[in-house]
Amino acid sequence: MYLDNPALFTDYYEVSMVQGYIGSGIADKTATFDYFFRSLPFDSGYLIFAGLSDLIQTLESFIFTKDDLQFLESIGLSTTCTEWLKKFKFQGSVYSVQEGEPVFPGEPVLRVEGGLAELQLIETLLLNILNFQSLIATKASRLRSAAGDKKVIDFGLRRAQGLGGIHASKAAILGGVDATSNLYSAHRFGLASGGTMAHSWVQSFTNELTAFRSYAEIWPDDTVLLVDTYDTLESGVPNAITVAKEMRDRGHELQGIRIDSGDLAWFSRQARTMLDQAGFSGVKIAASNQIDEDVICALNSQDAPIDLFGVGTRLVTADGAPALDGVYKLSSIGGEPTLKISDSPEKCTLPGNKEIIRLSDENGMFQADGIILTHEANNIPEQFILNDSGHIASGRFHHEHLLNPVMIGGKVVDELPNLHSSASYVQDRLKKLPDEFRRLREPDHYRLGYSEELLDLQKNLIREKKLRYETE
């Protein structure tokens, strides 16, 4: 994290509850929390799980400084509580799907076990990291799907919500974007970087041709010219062709032009014709200006000869779905399963410690996921009960356990995959998700089932708790 004191990256009620747990003598009571989300963003058929590596690295170094503790005492925390926090080091265990995994609503994609107070303390941090990065990675994945083999570059830092742009660029690469203009993130996370020029460059010279010539002299092997400052077809492209000829005479080649306004399909077609007729068929055309997956699909459907898309605002702000509704809910306390009850059935949580089983056909294509209690993992149920009251037989499918230990007792189990291997993992896994779930619009709903024992446990606990409330 880029925070000086991540321990204070939390909500007030997290520390106030910790003080309450300490005062009640239950701070160290064993507990389990699940992270899951309730609905898919962007009308997508899947979510790309992201942020795990940053979460784990932060948990490893999560401590309260002297200044942190003085601040907490100043807002009313007791000395008993701050003394507990002074010694705090995360000792819990984390079980998670792999970063980059396509996941679906209602699945406990991350499980944390440990003491009640320590698990409460990390809630806000965990939700902030996983919700945001998963949201951006999913948006980037949709852009990648729309663009096909064409390149996509993240141009969004200037439009990002403050420092969120740092992790937005990282999550975008995970989801499938090729590079970023964000140099901070490129340096910090080892990302590919790229960009062109701004209109201000062209405006800073006496005329457009002089501006292009000057840039080409400074960047002879990496020149991409922005051609729409004044008039794309009457001025910008002709001047770019003039400079391209001059560069060729010096033994260099113009790499590309960028169009940032107007009818991108029309301008790109006209520009392509002009470049080809001048003998520059190798010059690439980049397009930017409020681009998202729908715009890319529309441009591709019109056979617009665009080779690279610069995507900014609509990527880093997750346009169309400003937040992921990921939640972190208690599922066991003191070794006993528990759950949250709601008048809305979809908000009733699943009790106990659970696993996710992915079912794949003989070709390795994902068909459904099943949620079971952990003790069922060695004897997978013969069928899973689906949300629509149907069922799916598990025996005819290959079984894959998705939750694996990442931290045990506060110690990282294995070195986490780097960003680039995780980005490759995303693409490999999406190839195993059938087309009907990857469609950008109106995808089918992926099947999610539950073991009968898990549903019976949920039903019985709901009945017990309601009876208890009625008699109290």
Side-chain angles (χ1 to χ4, degrees):
M1 293 284 285
Y2 46 82
L3 299 168
D4 292 331
N5 51 341
L8 290 184
F9 194 68
T10 190
D11 291 305
Y12 182 93
Y13 84 150
E14 308 289 13
V15 293
S16 67
M17 282 191 287
V18 166
Q19 177 160 310
Y21 291 145
I22 293 169
S24 301
I26 60 171
D28 297 325
K29 198 170 187 178
T30 59
T32 302
F33 280 80
D34 294 328
Y35 168 76
F36 61 94
F37 62 97
R38 294 193 175 102
S39 60
L40 288 162
F42 318 116
D43 296 321
S44 181
Y46 62 88
L47 180 89
I48 298 298
F49 176 68
L52 178 64
S53 57
D54 285 315
L55 173 64
I56 297 303
Q57 289 169 11
T58 305
L59 291 180
E60 284 187 289
S61 58
F62 191 106
I63 60 170
F64 287 86
T65 66
K66 181 179 179 181
D67 183 64
D68 294 339
L69 298 171
Q70 288 176 343
F71 168 74
L72 291 174
E73 287 189 352
S74 75
I75 62 172
L77 262 69
S78 67
T79 303
T80 300
C81 182
T82 56
E83 282 297 315
W84 187 90
L85 294 174
K86 181 179 180 180
K87 302 171 186 176
F88 179 81
K89 181 172 174 56
F90 184 72
Q91 301 291 331
S93 298
V94 178
Y95 299 81
S96 177
V97 303
Q98 187 165 330
E99 187 156 22
E101 189 69 62
V103 292
F104 306 94
E107 296 183 325
V109 296
L110 182 139
R111 183 176 80 245
V112 189
E113 301 174 1
L116 177 59
E118 69 172 341
L119 300 192
Q120 190 72 66
L121 196 57
I122 67 170
E123 176 185 16
T124 299
L125 179 73
L126 180 149
L127 288 173
N128 179 273
I129 294 173
L130 299 184
N131 282 342
F132 180 67
Q133 292 196 40
S134 297
L135 188 69
I136 301 301
T138 304
K139 186 70 168 181
S141 175
R142 291 170 59 80
L143 291 164
R144 174 77 278 145
S145 176
D149 294 333
K150 297 179 179 181
K151 287 192 174 183
V152 181
I153 295 183
D154 157 39
F155 282 177
L157 181 58
R158 65 187 59 197
R159 299 290 177 82
Q161 282 90 344
L163 296 180
I166 295 172
H167 281 139
S169 294
K170 181 183 181 184
I173 296 291
L174 175 72
V177 166
D178 296 285
T180 180
S181 65
N182 180 347
L183 291 182
Y184 185 96
S185 295
H187 172 62
R188 190 171 187 89
F189 304 121
L191 314 181
S193 60
T196 59
M197 60 169 63
H199 294 107
S200 56
W201 173 272
V202 179
Q203 294 173 270
S204 297
F205 293 81
T206 55
N207 58 68
E208 187 176 59
L209 183 57
T210 301
F212 286 178
R213 282 171 169 160
S214 180
Y215 197 86
E217 289 175 1
I218 296 168
W219 298 96
D221 298 312
D222 193 26
T223 297
V224 179
L225 301 173
L226 180 60
V227 297
D228 72 327
T229 303
Y230 302 120
D231 190 308
T232 301
L233 300 180
E234 294 297 323
S235 172
V237 176
N239 282 332
I241 290 172
T242 297
V243 171
K245 291 176 179 177
E246 294 170 354
M247 292 177 68
R248 182 171 286 175
D249 290 341
R250 297 193 299 269
H252 302 285
E253 292 292 328
L254 176 65
Q255 296 300 302
I257 64 169
R258 177 164 71 97
I259 304 170
D260 188 50
S261 60
D263 186 332
L264 297 176
W266 163 255
F267 282 130
S268 64
R269 279 196 293 269
Q270 298 305 307
R272 181 76 275 157
T273 298
M274 295 167 70
L275 289 165
D276 290 350
Q277 290 177 348
F280 295 101
S281 59
V283 172
K284 305 296 184 184
I285 297 177
S288 51
N289 187 32
Q290 298 302 316
I291 286 177
D292 61 12
E293 63 267 44
D294 292 327
V295 173
I296 292 174
C297 284
L299 290 168
N300 284 341
S301 71
Q302 298 173 68
D303 295 322
I306 296 171
D307 305 288
L308 182 151
F309 298 99
V311 185
T313 305
R314 295 182 181 180
L315 168 60
V316 299
T317 64
D319 185 61
L324 179 68
D325 62 350
V327 294
Y328 180 77
K329 297 297 182 183
L330 185 69
S331 61
S332 77
I333 182 73
E336 296 296 325
T338 188
L339 81 174
K340 174 185 178 294
I341 301 175
S342 173
D343 291 330
S344 301
E346 68 276 8
K347 287 198 171 184
C348 289
T349 61
L350 294 170
N353 291 10
K354 297 168 290 294
E355 298 280 354
I356 307 172
I357 305 299
R358 179 152 292 170
L359 305 181
S360 302
D361 65 18
E362 65 277 8
N363 298 314
M365 301 298 288
F366 303 154
Q367 298 299 311
D369 288 357
I371 304 176
I372 62 175
L373 293 164
T374 52
H375 72 261
E376 299 180 275
N378 294 325
N379 188 18
I380 305 297
E382 294 182 358
Q383 66 178 26
F384 294 116
I385 300 171
L386 300 173
N387 282 329
D388 60 5
S389 299
H391 68 274
I392 183 169
S394 64
R396 59 193 181 93
F397 295 105
H398 170 72
H399 301 161
E400 180 182 5
H401 295 254
L402 294 189
L403 288 176
N404 292 295
V406 180
M407 292 185 91
I408 298 295
K411 303 292 184 182
V412 178
V413 175
D414 293 307
E415 185 176 351
L416 293 169
N418 63 42
L419 177 61
H420 300 291
S421 62
S422 293
S424 296
Y425 182 78
V426 171
Q427 301 309 315
D428 290 342
R429 297 295 275 184
L430 284 176
K431 290 175 183 176
K432 297 180 179 181
L433 186 64
D435 291 344
E436 59 265 29
F437 306 115
R438 289 190 284 118
R439 288 196 298 258
L440 292 177
R441 290 293 167 235
E442 298 183 358
D444 283 352
H445 296 292
Y446 188 79
R447 290 185 293 181
L448 179 63
Y450 312 88
S451 73
E452 185 174 3
E453 185 176 349
L454 174 59
L455 292 181
D456 285 344
L457 177 63
Q458 182 191 48
K459 187 187 305 181
N460 291 335
L461 283 175
I462 291 173
R463 184 185 302 114
E464 288 175 13
K465 288 183 179 292
K466 284 186 175 180
L467 286 172
R468 189 181 308 159
Y469 297 146
E470 290 172 0
T471 57
E472 286 179 350

